[in-house]
C-alpha cells in the first residue's frame, strides 16, 4: 500500500488526466522516473522545491495524452525527441491534450 501512496503524491492519473506533483505543500526537492499513468504512459519529472524543472512522457500505445500543466495553467511546449518536432498546446478547461505515437518520448516544458 505504501508505494501507491508515494506514487499518488508524485503523479495522479486515475481519472485519465495526468497531474504532476499535485500537492506540493511542504514538498522539498523530489523526482521520479517512469511512473506508470493511465493511458499507457510512463512519466518522469523533477521538482526543485518550487517548480517542476523537468518533465517527460513516454507513450507505449500512441494514445492521446491529457495533462494538467504543472506551471499554473500555462501552455505546454511538447517536443517529440525522435525528430525534435515541436508543438504548442494551450489548455482547455485547464487540461492540455495532444496526440502521441507509440514508442515515442516527449519532453514537456512551459511556453
Amino acid at each position: 500500500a505504501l508505494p501507491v501512496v508515494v506514487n499518488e503524491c508524485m503523479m495522479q492519473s486515475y481519472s485519465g488526466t495526468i497531474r504532476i506533483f499535485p500537492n506540493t505543500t511542504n514538498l522539498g526537492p523530489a523526482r521520479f522516473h517512469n511512473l506508470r499513468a493511465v493511458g499507457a504512459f510512463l512519466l518522469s519529472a523533477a521538482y526543485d522545491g518550487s517548480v517542476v524543472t523537468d518533465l517527460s512522457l513516454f507513450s507505449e500505445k500512441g494514445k492521446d495524452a491529457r495533462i494538467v500543466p504543472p506551471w499554473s495553467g500555462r501552455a505546454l511546449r511538447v517536443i517529440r525527441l525522435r525528430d525534435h518536432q515541436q508543438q504548442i498546446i494551450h489548455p482547455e478547461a485547464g487540461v492540455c491534450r495532444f496526440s502521441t505515437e507509440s514508442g515515442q518520448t516527449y519532453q514537456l516544458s512551459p511556453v
Side-chain angles (χ1 to χ4, degrees):
L2 185 57
V4 172
V5 172
V6 173
N7 286 355
E8 288 291 311
C9 291
M10 301 292 170
M11 191 251 326
Q12 295 175 351
S13 69
Y14 52 85
S15 69
T17 299
I18 299 166
R19 289 173 175 77
I20 304 298
F21 299 110
N23 183 0
T24 56
T25 304
N26 298 320
L27 179 65
R31 72 175 39 247
F32 61 84
H33 185 69
N34 286 342
L35 281 184
R36 184 166 301 281
V38 170
F41 301 111
L42 297 176
L43 282 101
S44 299
Y47 179 73
D48 69 3
S50 62
V51 69
V52 174
T53 58
D54 187 40
L55 177 56
S56 65
L57 176 146
F58 176 78
S59 176
E60 294 179 308
K61 301 283 184 176
K63 296 182 177 182
D64 283 358
R66 293 186 338 213
I67 186 165
V68 174
W71 300 283
S72 300
R74 293 173 60 188
L76 290 181
R77 179 182 318 279
V78 178
I79 302 171
R80 184 175 54 208
L81 294 185
R82 177 187 75 210
D83 56 6
H84 299 286
Q85 180 181 359
Q86 294 186 41
Q87 55 182 320
I88 304 299
I89 309 297
H90 295 277
E92 292 182 24
V95 177
C96 289
R97 184 181 192 145
F98 61 96
S99 297
T100 69
E101 294 179 26
S102 177
Q104 296 303 311
T105 301
Y106 299 84
Q107 187 72 39
L108 288 74
S109 60
V111 174

